[in-house]
């Protein structure tokens, strides 16, 4: 039905554009002849089909026929394009052309906005699929000219505002028509992003994982709405369901977000077309595995100005590499079979589009693929066969050039859109650029003419001295005025032959006439040796990509190896305790054998004499390796998960490996009583985010108590709860609702799927475990009572600095304690903390772990464990268990890690001496039988980083010396996430 309406709309617009019965009072009525034949041109019908000396016949804005033997109808206007090339006009699928960006909503109060401001729409203002920008569209003639000059004929524009942004408009860049004619599709695609709407200050979502959770819930609700189950009408969900068959275009800001968007789409059977960010080459196999179409910007970074050595030291290797590697992105995408279109959307000036594309081609991007990415591919993505090609029946959208459109020397003469000519550079103006010898009287000058068309300019020199000169080339007349120390010579003449020989008359200050001439200089033959040397100097060097693509990354991924560690002191963290002079065999990623005199064929043998081998350290409470920690805009965020925002590029993964940590629970923060779900990961440096998460990972969620959740220090906190009493009532309310939700779900009656309630039901059924941020004994006691009321138990109290006061109750409840070794007095509710806390809880029968909650402390958990020996007299075996088997038990992964036992994962650490000594160093950290940290290799990497930075600095200095624009040095600031760190999701 929609297609039929659009077809009727199209026929109507054609008729409106061409009706001949309208009265004319301005003069004699005439009918424009739109039948035009372009002959003798090289015509790219498509990137694959090229005609030499072909003819293109157009009429009424459409291609009538194209070929080598086209019979030109009588009365057709003929344009001879001998020596010229014709291409389909380009298409940009990601644009806001003609649509003003909305101004940010005025915040009239410091109090946060929690509810939606639109009535009759979705409960969240940032979901706006109902937005149709046709009412806001205004053809931007100035911007259209810029795009036309760059070769674009069609853009897909939309309102760039919100998480679900509404539909797009497919616009022909035809300044000579009305919107009724140039709007090719009034509903061309649906657009999405992870950015909030500027039109609303509604707080939720405040994080990337919140945006992902909101998308999931929106899709669930759209399904519920489509089934006729909602009591009310929701105009946003109605629009979402109406738009579901449109191309879904998702704008992302970086490679990780591209993969995150694809993850959400896959869950709901939606294949997004993803607007990339130019860094796809860093994880090309992951990009390829999305099977998505991409829209790729080509906004390449400038080289840094590294002339100041002290400032240059601040620049990260990651940012330096980006400048060097990103021009190869299109080549890498193309060679790996990723289907993509190009966009000029991220450029400050469209004028730089061709410069950047030429650079990408210089870096190996195929020209045929380049043309396809601007024509047939975007047309296929948007599902419109009438654009992006010059087949019969397609729109007469094409550009006329002097040659190869991707050659820097080529001139774009005209850009025809819907059969209407737009002159870019006058085709009738002769190209006279080049180096000439200019003869005036007895004086010889060097004349250099550059530029294109009417913008050709000239410089005049005598030897190395520049002469002040004014030049013009109009209507084939050359005019030059020379000013030599206020002695003027005026030159007037023409080009007299095909060799661009010029001659004419020159006039001195007194008006005396003389003849002048100019002839092109003959190029000297360049010696092969010099040519070879120049090629070597201009050879492009693209540095290899590492995983992750930062310092200390792996150029090749470590492989699982058979490793035999001989004669080492083994800390088993099991009943066997410490085994002296023992051999451990690691094979197929598992601990294969423990004993004496072990042998294994083809094993890598490591002499462990004088060294200590332990299980990898497990950190029960960490905030590394994540792009966000808190979704704090609601009092419950059980619908969000840290698994959505795992960041495999975090250097703290590598640093933690250097401290012996191999597994960690990445917890949601403590911004709300019911926080988000955890990610339990292995620190597999170099792997992608998905591969870091444990297979069949136990399900955990973060709860929180105390000052943070009741917003004690928040200047605009009005969200419930505001007191510790309110926190308890909120828990009771949510679990009561979860019980009611489960009853309805099991009844067989229709129910609205609620991701938040689904998570809480998992807790009630013992399928998801709670790690709760806690300090004060009264609240600790309260939450255990709430859990017992609803027949489940709390799994872990983390921080738990007053655990020593309620250790007996904790043991009875069956909850573990994951605490700091000796942190206290850093805020009011911590004043009663004591360093004996861990040992007191341990002695009461509580499973105790020492955690970090800090990216630096997590590198030194071996020393934190040692403190329990000082404060409370724990044995060294029990002390070591607080960072190995005990946290593994609390995380329900002790069947895989946490101790050295046959059959467990080969996650072990080789220490230079006693692992709890302040002098102990990690020599090797092995995860799944792969050596992910090696102290000797680490030294080599440090040297390699220094050498690579020196190489890049040399390249950047060379770039500056060539006259290229540079940018000021910039220091990358890495965020240090803690429990209370809040992400600001951009509007």
């Amino acid at each position: 039905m929609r297609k039929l309406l659009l077809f009727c709309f199209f026929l109507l617009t054609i008729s409106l554009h061409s009706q001949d019965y309208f009265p004319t009072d301005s003069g004699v009525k005439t009918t424009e002849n739109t039948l035009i034949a372009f002959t003798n041109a090289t015509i790219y019908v498509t990137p694959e089909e090229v005609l030499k000396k072909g003819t293109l016949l157009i009429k009424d804005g459409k291609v009538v026929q194209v070929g080598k033997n086209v019979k030109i109808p009588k009365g057709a206007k003929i344009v001879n394009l001998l020596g010229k090339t014709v291409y389909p006009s380009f298409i940009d699928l990601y644009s806001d052309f003609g649509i003003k960006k909305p101004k940010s909503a005025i915040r009239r109060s410091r109090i946060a906005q929690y509810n939606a401001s639109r009535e009759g729409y979705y409960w969240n203002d940032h979901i706006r699929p109902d937005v149709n920008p046709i009412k806001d569209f205004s053809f931007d003639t100035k911007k259209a000219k810029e795009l036309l000059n760059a070769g674009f004929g069609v853009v897909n524009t939309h309102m760039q505002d919100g998480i679900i942004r509404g539909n797009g408009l497919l616009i022909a860049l035809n300044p000579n028509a009305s919107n009724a004619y140039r709007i090719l599709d009034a509903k061309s695609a649906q657009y999405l992003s992870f950015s909030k709407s500027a039109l609303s200050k509604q707080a939720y979502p405040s994080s990337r994982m919140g945006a992902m959770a909101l998308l999931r819930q929106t899709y669930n609700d759209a399904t519920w709405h489509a089934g006729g189950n909602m009591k009310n009408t929701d105009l946003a969900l109605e629009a979402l369901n109406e738009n579901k068959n449109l191309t879904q275009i998702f704008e992302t800001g970086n490679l990780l977000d591209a993969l995150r968007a694809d993850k959400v789409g896959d869950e709901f059977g939606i294949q997004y077309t993803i607007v990339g960010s130019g860094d796809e080459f860093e994880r090309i196999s992951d990009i390829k595995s999305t099977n998505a179409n991409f829209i790729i910007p080509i906004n390449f970074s400038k080289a840094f100005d590294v002339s100041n050595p002290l400032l240059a030291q601040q620049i990260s290797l990651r940012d330096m590499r980006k400048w060097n590697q990103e021009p190869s992105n299109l080549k890498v995408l193309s060679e790996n079979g990723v289907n993509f279109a190009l966009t000029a959307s991220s450029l400050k000036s469209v004028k730089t589009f061709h410069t950047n594309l030429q650079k990408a081609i210089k870096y190996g991007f195929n020209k045929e693929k380049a043309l396809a990415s601007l024509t047939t591919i975007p047309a296929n993505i948007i599902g419109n066969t009438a654009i992006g090609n010059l087949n019969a029946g397609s729109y007469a959208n094409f550009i006329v050039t002097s040659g190869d459109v991707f050659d820097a020397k080529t001139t774009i003469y005209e850009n025809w859109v819907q059969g209407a000519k737009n002159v870019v550079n006058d085709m009738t103006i002769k190209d006279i650029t080049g180096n000439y010898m200019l003869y005036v009287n007895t004086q010889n000058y060097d004349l250099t003419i550059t530029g294109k068309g009417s913008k050709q300019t000239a410089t005049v020199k005598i030897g190395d001295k520049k002469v002040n000169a004014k030049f013009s080339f109009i209507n084939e007349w050359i005019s030059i005025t020379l000013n030599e120390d206020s002695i003027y010579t005026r030159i007037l003449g023409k080009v007299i032959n095909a060799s661009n020989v010029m001659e004419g008359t020159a006039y001195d200050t007194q008006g005396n006439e003389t003849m002048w001439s100019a002839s092109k200089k003959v190029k000297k033959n360049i010696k092969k040796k010099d040519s070879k040397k120049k090629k070597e100097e201009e050879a492009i060097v693209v540095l290899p990509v590492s995983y992750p693509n930062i310092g200390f990354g792996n150029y090749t991924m470590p492989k699982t190896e058979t490793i035999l560690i001989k004669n080492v002191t083994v800390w088993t963290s099991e009943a066997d305790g410490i085994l002296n002079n023992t051999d451990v065999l690691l094979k197929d990623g598992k601990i294969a054998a423990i004993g004496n005199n072990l042998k294994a064929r083809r094993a890598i043998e490591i002499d462990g004499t004088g060294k200590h081998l332990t299980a990898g350290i497990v950190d029960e409470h960490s905030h590394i390796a994540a792009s966000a920690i808190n979704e704090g805009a609601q009092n419950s965020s059980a619908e969000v998960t840290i698994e959505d925002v795992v960041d495999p590029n975090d250097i703290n993964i590598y640093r933690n490996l250097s401290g012996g940590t191999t597994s960690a629970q990445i917890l949601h923060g403590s911004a709300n009583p019911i926080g988000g779900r955890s990610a339990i990961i292995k620190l597999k440096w170099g792997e992608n985010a998905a591969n870091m998460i444990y297979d069949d990972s136990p399900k955990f969620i973060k709860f929180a108590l105390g000052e943070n959740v009741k917003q004690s220090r928040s200047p605009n906190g009005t969200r419930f709860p505001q007191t510790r009493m309110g926190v308890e009532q909120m828990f009771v309310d949510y679990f009561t609702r979860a019980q009611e939700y489960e009853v309805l779900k099991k009844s067989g009656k229709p129910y609205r799927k609620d991701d938040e309630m689904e998570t809480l039901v998992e807790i009630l059924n013992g399928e998801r475990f709670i790690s709760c941020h806690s300090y004060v004994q009264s609240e600790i006691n309260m939450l255990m009572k709430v859990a017992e009321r609803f027949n489940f138990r709390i799994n872990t109290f983390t921080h738990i600095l007053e655990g020593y006061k309620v250790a007996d109750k904790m043991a009875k409840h069956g909850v573990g304690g994951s605490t700091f070794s000796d942190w206290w007095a850093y805020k009011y509710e911590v004043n009663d903390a004591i360093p004996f806390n861990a040992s007191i809880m341990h002695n009461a029968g509580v499973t105790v772990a020492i955690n970090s909650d800090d990216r630096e402390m997590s590198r030194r958990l071996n020393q934190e464990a040692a403190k329990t020996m000082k404060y409370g007299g724990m044995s060294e075996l029990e002390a070591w268990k607080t960072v190995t088997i005990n946290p593994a038990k609390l995380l329900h992964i002790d069947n895989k890690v946490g101790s050295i036992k046959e059959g467990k994962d080969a996650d072990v650490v080789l220490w230079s001496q006693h692992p709890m000594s302040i002098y102990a160093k990690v020599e090797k950290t092995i995860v799944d039988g792969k050596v992910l940290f090696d102290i000797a290799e680490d030294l080599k990497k440090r040297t390699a980083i220094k050498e690579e930075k020196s190489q890049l600095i040399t390249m950047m200095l060379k770039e500056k010396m060539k006259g290229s624009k540079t940018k000021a040095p910039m220091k990358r600031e890495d965020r240090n996430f803690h429990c209370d760190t809040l992400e600001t999701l951009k509007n």
Side-chain angles (χ1 to χ4, degrees):
M1 182 65 184
R2 178 177 169 273
K3 289 185 177 179
L4 179 61
L5 289 171
L6 284 173
F7 181 68
C8 294
F9 172 75
F10 178 72
L11 290 178
L12 177 63
T13 58
I14 291 290
S15 62
L16 287 173
H17 191 70
S18 57
Q19 290 291 4
D20 61 359
Y21 59 79
F22 290 175
T24 301
D25 299 314
S26 57
V28 177
K29 187 169 182 177
T30 60
T31 302
E32 182 183 358
N33 180 14
T34 63
L35 182 62
I36 308 172
F38 299 86
T39 64
N40 297 315
T42 298
I43 302 173
Y44 281 77
V45 182
T46 66
E48 299 80 21
E49 183 184 354
V50 185
L51 303 176
K52 299 290 184 181
K53 291 193 175 181
T55 297
L56 175 68
L57 186 65
I58 69 170
K59 183 180 181 181
D60 294 335
K62 292 290 190 75
V63 175
V64 176
Q65 194 176 356
V66 63
K68 285 190 172 184
N69 301 305
V70 175
K71 187 176 180 180
I72 301 174
K74 187 178 179 179
K77 180 181 178 182
I78 299 175
V79 179
N80 187 354
L81 294 181
L82 183 64
K84 308 296 190 294
T85 306
V86 174
Y87 295 90
S89 296
F90 303 154
I91 304 165
D92 193 337
L93 293 184
Y94 189 78
S95 173
D96 62 353
F97 174 81
I99 300 173
K100 290 183 179 179
K101 290 184 177 178
K103 294 181 180 179
S104 295
I106 299 172
R107 188 167 182 172
R108 303 185 184 279
S109 170
R110 293 180 65 186
I111 297 173
Q113 176 187 336
Y114 295 111
N115 298 319
S117 54
R118 300 199 304 165
E119 292 185 7
Y121 294 87
Y122 199 55
W123 62 267
N124 191 281
D125 282 341
H126 308 297
I127 302 299
R128 311 174 73 83
D130 51 283
V131 172
N132 188 336
I134 195 165
K135 61 183 177 61
D136 300 304
F137 177 73
S138 175
F139 192 84
D140 187 337
T141 305
K142 182 180 177 182
K143 184 68 175 177
K145 182 174 176 55
E146 293 175 5
L147 289 163
L148 287 165
N149 289 352
F152 289 93
V154 172
V155 295
N156 208 36
T157 187
H158 71 291
M159 179 73 74
Q160 294 184 1
D161 180 67
I163 291 174
I164 300 182
R165 298 174 162 184
N167 64 268
L169 305 175
L170 193 64
I171 305 293
L173 297 173
N174 186 352
N176 307 302
S178 67
N179 285 346
Y181 189 57
R182 57 192 167 210
I183 295 178
L184 306 182
D185 192 341
K187 274 198 170 185
S188 56
Q190 179 161 269
Y191 285 84
L192 307 92
S193 77
F194 285 135
S195 299
K196 298 200 291 187
S197 171
L199 296 171
S200 174
K201 293 298 181 183
Q202 188 172 3
Y204 184 83
S206 63
S207 68
R208 182 69 76 253
M209 57 186 165
M212 294 175 73
L214 177 58
L215 277 171
R216 290 187 181 100
Q217 191 58 56
T218 303
Y219 286 133
N220 287 336
D221 289 344
T223 301
W224 178 244
H225 185 277
N229 298 299
M230 279 192 172
K231 296 177 182 178
N232 60 295
T233 297
D234 188 309
L235 296 176
L237 294 181
E238 276 188 9
L240 183 61
N241 286 323
E242 289 173 5
N243 295 344
K244 67 180 180 180
N245 292 323
L246 300 178
T247 299
Q248 307 287 309
I249 299 178
F250 204 118
E251 184 254 343
T252 61
N254 55 63
L255 183 150
L256 292 178
D257 279 353
L259 300 176
R260 290 162 181 160
D262 185 70
K263 176 184 176 183
V264 173
D266 287 350
E267 290 172 15
F268 292 90
I270 301 169
Q271 184 61 75
Y272 294 130
T273 292
I274 298 172
V275 182
S277 50
D279 56 357
E280 291 75 23
F281 63 93
E282 293 188 344
R283 293 275 181 183
I284 190 61
S285 60
D286 293 337
I287 290 295
K288 184 177 181 178
S289 67
T290 65
N291 295 314
N293 293 318
F294 279 79
I295 300 171
I296 303 295
I298 48 172
N299 186 17
F300 301 142
S301 303
K302 296 186 184 75
F304 287 102
D305 182 353
V306 291
S307 53
N308 185 320
L310 297 179
L311 293 178
Q313 290 177 5
Q314 300 181 62
I315 310 169
S316 71
L317 178 61
R318 181 180 188 177
D319 291 328
M320 286 180 137
R321 278 186 183 173
K322 182 182 179 184
W323 165 76
N324 171 261
Q325 295 169 342
E326 65 181 356
S328 68
N329 188 49
L330 302 185
K331 171 180 179 283
V332 173
L333 285 165
S334 180
E335 289 179 347
N336 283 273
V338 178
N339 198 51
F340 64 92
L342 296 178
T343 177
S345 62
S346 63
L347 299 173
K348 287 184 179 179
S349 171
V350 181
K351 293 178 181 178
T352 62
F353 179 82
H354 279 277
T355 305
N356 286 352
L357 185 51
Q358 288 156 11
K359 186 173 186 179
I361 290 169
K362 190 177 178 182
Y363 274 65
F365 184 35
N366 178 274
K367 287 184 179 182
E368 185 179 309
K369 295 284 187 182
L371 183 58
S373 67
L374 289 164
T375 55
T376 51
I377 291 175
N380 289 337
I381 289 173
I382 209 67
N384 192 318
T385 59
I387 57 176
N389 66 79
L390 295 176
N391 290 314
S394 293
Y395 285 102
N397 297 348
F398 58 92
I399 55 177
V400 181
T401 72
S402 62
D404 179 356
V405 71
F406 301 124
D407 191 308
K409 296 179 181 178
T410 294
T411 301
I412 297 178
Y413 291 122
E414 295 170 359
N415 191 345
W416 291 68
V417 179
Q418 293 180 306
K421 181 171 71 171
N422 300 281
V423 176
V424 180
N425 291 289
D426 192 336
M427 204 172 357
T428 63
I429 297 177
K430 188 176 179 64
D431 182 1
I432 59 171
T433 57
N435 297 314
Y436 296 81
M437 283 300 300
L438 172 63
Y439 307 95
V440 183
N441 278 333
T442 58
Q443 183 63 57
N444 296 341
Y445 301 86
D446 291 315
L447 171 66
T448 302
I449 302 175
T450 58
K452 294 179 181 180
S454 61
K455 296 180 180 178
Q456 293 178 87
T457 59
T459 56
V460 180
K461 289 184 177 180
I462 299 177
D464 293 330
K465 183 182 177 183
K466 187 176 180 181
V467 177
N468 190 5
K470 296 292 183 182
F471 171 89
S472 68
F473 183 45
I474 301 172
N475 296 329
E476 298 189 0
W477 281 94
I478 298 160
S479 174
I480 307 174
T481 302
L482 303 177
N483 177 4
E484 299 178 80
D485 299 326
S486 297
I487 298 173
Y488 295 91
T489 303
R490 292 164 293 165
I491 295 171
L492 194 65
K494 282 192 171 186
V495 177
I496 63 170
N497 59 28
S499 300
N500 283 354
V501 173
M502 311 170 191
E503 63 179 36
T505 306
Y507 302 83
D508 64 16
T509 307
Q510 286 76 36
N512 299 316
E513 298 182 15
T514 187
M515 299 300 294
W516 71 273
S517 66
S519 57
K520 268 194 174 181
K521 292 181 181 179
V522 179
K523 292 183 179 180
K524 295 180 181 179
N525 292 325
I526 301 171
K527 294 181 181 180
K528 289 184 178 180
K529 188 176 180 181
D530 293 339
S531 178
K532 184 179 179 182
K533 184 178 179 182
K534 187 176 181 181
K535 284 182 179 179
E536 288 175 354
E537 289 175 353
E538 293 179 353
I540 293 171
V541 177
V542 180
L543 298 179
V545 172
S546 66
Y547 303 96
N549 198 28
I550 63 176
F552 299 98
N554 302 310
Y555 291 103
T556 57
M557 292 303 297
K559 295 180 180 179
T560 299
E561 297 174 305
T562 300
I563 301 172
L564 180 58
I565 305 169
K566 303 280 288 181
N567 199 36
V568 70
T569 301
V570 179
W571 293 60
T572 65
S573 295
E574 292 280 347
D576 292 337
I578 300 173
L579 306 175
N580 295 314
N581 303 321
T582 300
D583 302 343
V584 176
L585 177 64
L586 311 178
K587 188 175 181 180
D588 298 329
K590 299 291 182 181
I591 299 171
I594 305 167
N596 298 106
N597 302 316
L598 297 181
K599 294 181 181 180
R601 294 183 61 188
R602 298 177 183 172
I604 298 170
E605 286 198 11
I606 299 172
D607 183 5
T609 304
K611 299 173 183 178
H612 295 246
L613 187 74
T614 70
I617 290 172
V618 179
D619 191 355
E620 187 275 339
H621 185 146
S622 179
H623 298 302
I624 67 166
S627 301
I629 289 300
N630 270 300
E631 176 48 67
Q634 297 182 153
N635 54 21
S636 168
S637 54
E639 73 282 358
V640 311
T641 174
I642 295 288
E643 288 188 359
D644 281 341
V645 289
V646 171
D647 180 5
N649 301 326
D650 188 356
I651 188 61
N652 291 295
I653 299 170
Y654 182 76
R655 290 172 179 166
N656 272 241
L657 288 167
S658 74
T661 302
T662 58
S663 292
Q665 176 178 215
I666 312 305
L667 278 166
H668 186 275
S670 55
N672 36 16
I674 300 177
R677 308 189 304 259
S678 306
I680 300 177
I681 66 170
K682 285 197 178 190
L683 304 188
K684 299 179 183 178
W685 180 240
E687 293 281 3
N688 62 26
N691 288 343
M692 290 175 64
I693 299 168
Y694 265 79
D695 294 333
D696 301 318
S697 178
K699 297 177 180 180
F700 272 79
I701 188 171
K702 174 76 172 288
F703 275 33
L705 308 169
E707 294 179 12
N708 292 3
V709 301
K710 66 186 187 69
Q711 300 181 305
S712 296
R713 293 178 297 279
S714 175
N716 59 356
T718 57
R719 184 202 68 204
F720 179 84
Q722 290 288 295
T723 65
R724 297 180 196 268
M725 295 180 293
V727 172
E728 178 180 4
Q729 292 308 308
M730 193 207 119
F731 287 141
V732 171
D733 174 62
Y734 269 88
F735 283 121
T736 301
R737 287 163 52 195
Q739 285 179 329
E740 294 169 352
Y741 175 85
E742 186 178 27
V743 169
L744 177 60
K745 182 178 178 180
K746 289 180 176 180
S747 70
K749 296 178 183 178
Y751 73 100
R752 169 185 174 265
K753 184 178 179 183
D754 186 324
D755 288 340
E756 183 181 40
M757 288 295 118
E758 292 281 341
T759 302
L760 297 180
V761 167
E762 288 177 337
I763 296 171
L764 292 173
N765 293 332
E767 297 166 358
R768 185 172 295 277
F769 309 108
I770 295 172
S771 285
C772 184
H773 164 112
S774 56
Y775 288 104
V776 178
Q777 63 168 329
S778 58
E779 288 187 299
I780 297 165
N781 198 36
M782 171 272 292
L783 187 57
M784 287 190 290
K785 288 182 177 179
V786 169
E788 288 163 2
R789 173 177 171 179
F790 289 93
N791 298 314
F792 69 90
R793 71 177 182 87
I794 306 301
N795 189 87
T796 311
F797 281 114
T798 187
H799 302 321
I800 190 70
L801 294 186
E802 288 190 19
Y804 67 94
K805 296 181 179 180
V806 287
D808 55 339
K809 294 180 180 178
M810 289 173 63
K812 183 179 178 181
H813 182 78
V815 61
S818 183
T819 187
F820 298 130
S821 59
D822 60 353
W823 284 23
W824 63 83
Y826 51 88
K827 59 180 176 177
Y828 183 79
E829 63 183 355
V830 188
N831 283 347
D832 281 1
I834 60 173
F836 296 88
N837 185 46
S839 59
I840 292 173
M841 287 193 294
H842 167 74
N843 293 337
V846 176
T847 300
V848 175
I850 300 294
N851 67 57
S852 71
D853 190 20
D854 179 78
R855 65 182 183 181
E856 287 299 314
M857 185 181 290
S858 56
R859 300 166 60 187
R860 301 175 178 84
L861 280 172
N862 61 318
Q863 295 177 24
E864 297 301 303
K867 293 176 183 177
T868 63
M869 297 165 62
K870 175 174 180 171
Y871 300 112
M874 289 176 67
S875 70
E876 63 178 7
L877 285 173
E878 293 304 319
W880 189 247
K881 287 181 181 180
T882 63
V883 292
T884 53
I885 193 63
N886 287 2
K889 288 177 179 177
L890 294 179
L891 295 176
H892 299 260
I893 55 175
D894 54 304
N895 62 322
K896 297 181 179 181
V897 297
S899 64
I900 295 180
K901 181 180 180 181
E902 290 180 7
K904 283 195 173 186
D905 294 350
D907 294 9
V908 298
V909 183
L910 184 65
W911 303 82
S912 60
Q913 53 183 289
H914 192 295
M916 286 186 284
S917 167
I918 61 171
Y919 301 106
K921 291 182 179 180
V922 172
E923 294 192 354
K924 292 184 191 294
T925 302
I926 301 170
V927 178
D928 291 337
K930 302 173 184 178
V931 179
L932 298 187
F933 175 81
D934 183 296
I935 196 167
E937 290 299 317
D938 179 76
L939 294 175
K940 292 178 184 178
K941 286 183 176 183
R942 292 169 189 266
T943 301
I945 288 169
K946 185 177 180 181
E947 290 173 352
E948 186 178 353
K949 288 192 77 171
S950 296
Q951 183 182 5
L952 285 164
I953 285 171
T954 300
M955 290 180 180
M956 290 180 177
L957 288 170
K958 184 178 179 181
E959 193 76 7
K960 184 179 181 181
M961 296 303 287
K962 285 195 307 185
S964 300
K965 290 183 179 180
T966 57
K967 61 183 179 181
M970 174 192 71
K971 185 177 181 180
R972 177 181 287 270
E973 296 292 341
D974 293 322
R975 293 192 71 180
N976 184 10
F977 287 112
H978 286 287
C979 278
D980 55 356
T981 305
L982 296 175
E983 181 189 8
T984 302
L985 193 64
K986 68 177 182 178
N987 287 80

